[in-house]
Amino acid sequence: MDMIEDSDGVIFSVPCFQGHLPGILKNFTDHMAFMLHRPRYFTKKALVITTTGGVSARSTTKAMAAVLSGWGFNKCYQLPIMALSWNDYRPSAKDLKRTHDIAGKFYADISSGKLHVPGAGVLIPFNLFQAMTAAETDYPTEDNSFWPKYAGMRYAPGIPLTPGKKLLGWLIYQAGRRLLKSTTVTYRK
Ligand SMILES: Cc1cc2nc3c(=O)[nH]c(=O)nc-3n(C[C@H](O)[C@H](O)[C@H](O)COP(=O)(O)O)c2cc1C
C-alpha cells in the first residue's frame, strides 16, 4: 500500500488462470477488499496487462480493472494479450505494437497530471457508503470513521465531476439515506 501511495501509476501483470485472476493475486485483492468500502488512490492510474494461453484475457483484465476502480484508481488502462503459450511466450509484432501504443498512452496520461471524470459505477459505493454511515449506529465500523471527511462531497476532492455525475451522486446519496431508515447493517459476529 505504501508503494502504491508513493507511485503516480501502477502496472499489474496478471496471467489468466482458469479464466480468472491467479489465486495468489485474488488472495491479495481479497485481503485489500476493505478498500471497496473505503477507497483511496483517487489520483493514481493503472495499467493491467493480462496474458492468457488462449482464452479469457479480456475478462481477466476487466476483472482486475474493476477491482482497481473500486479501490479508487482514477483510470485503468487494459492490455489483454493472447500468448498462445505456456511458459514460452514470444510477443508478436502486433502485440509489441499494442504494448508500445498503450504504454505511450499510459505514460502521457500520467505525465499530463490530468484527472478523469469517474465512471457512474464508482459513484455508487462512494455515495451509498457515505450515506449509510452518516447516522449514529449501535454497530460502528471503520467505515463510520472513514466517511465523515467526505461529508457533502459527491466524489473525492480534486477529481472533476460533470453536473450530470454530481446529480447522480446526490441521487445515490439520497437513496442511501432512505435505505438507512429501513435497514440496519450490523456486521455483528
Ligand atoms: C494454473 C494455470 C491455469 C491456466 N488457465 C488458463 C485458462 O483458463 N485459459 C487459458 O487460455 N490459459 C490458461 N493458462 C495459461 C496461462 O494463461 C499462461 O501460461 C500465462 O498467460 C502466461 O504465459 P506464459 O506461460 O507463456 O508466460 C493457465 C496456466 C496455468 C499455469
Side-chain angles (χ1 to χ4, degrees):
M1 289 182 74
D2 289 345
M3 286 169 76
I4 295 176
E5 203 60 67
D6 288 344
S7 313
D8 300 311
V10 188
I11 299 173
F12 290 85
S13 167
V14 185
C16 162
F17 285 0
Q18 300 189 80
H20 297 277
L21 306 181
I24 196 162
L25 179 60
K26 180 64 168 60
N27 189 263
F28 170 69
T29 64
D30 286 352
H31 199 65
M32 298 293 159
F34 69 94
M35 287 197 281
L36 298 180
H37 278 234
R38 303 190 290 280
R40 54 213 70 198
Y41 309 139
F42 298 112
T43 60
K44 314 290 180 195
K45 291 162 186 172
L47 168 61
V48 177
I49 303 173
T50 299
T51 52
T52 186
V55 292
S56 305
R58 202 168 292 277
S59 57
T60 303
T61 318
K62 236 174 140 179
M64 188 65 200
V67 168
L68 297 176
S69 299
W71 293 0
F73 271 79
N74 179 244
K75 175 107 181 159
C76 190
Y77 290 84
Q78 302 181 30
L79 179 62
I81 300 265
M82 203 204 318
L84 296 178
S85 153
W86 284 29
N87 302 319
D88 192 28
Y89 169 49
R90 317 228 168 175
S92 64
K94 191 174 151 219
D95 287 344
L96 286 174
K97 179 166 180 341
R98 287 175 62 215
T99 307
H100 180 269
D101 290 352
I102 203 153
K105 275 189 197 157
F106 182 55
Y107 177 78
D109 192 0
I110 289 176
S111 38
S112 75
K114 183 185 163 196
L115 293 168
H116 303 269
V117 175
V122 295
L123 293 177
I124 298 174
F126 192 95
N127 289 284
L128 208 55
F129 287 132
Q130 195 190 129
M132 300 283 290
T133 51
E136 287 281 311
T137 171
D138 293 339
Y139 309 101
T141 68
E142 282 297 318
D143 289 6
N144 295 80
S145 321
F146 179 86
W147 285 105
K149 65 176 176 281
Y150 293 113
M153 300 180 202
R154 303 287 58 98
Y155 201 61
I159 310 300
L161 278 186
T162 59
K165 290 270 167 78
K166 266 188 202 159
L167 175 65
L168 180 63
W170 183 81
L171 290 171
I172 296 165
Y173 182 81
Q174 296 307 324
R177 294 303 302 259
R178 263 172 184 243
L179 201 61
L180 186 62
K181 286 188 189 141
S182 58
T183 315
T184 306
V185 182
T186 66
Y187 297 105
R188 188 159 52 179
K189 294 201 174 123

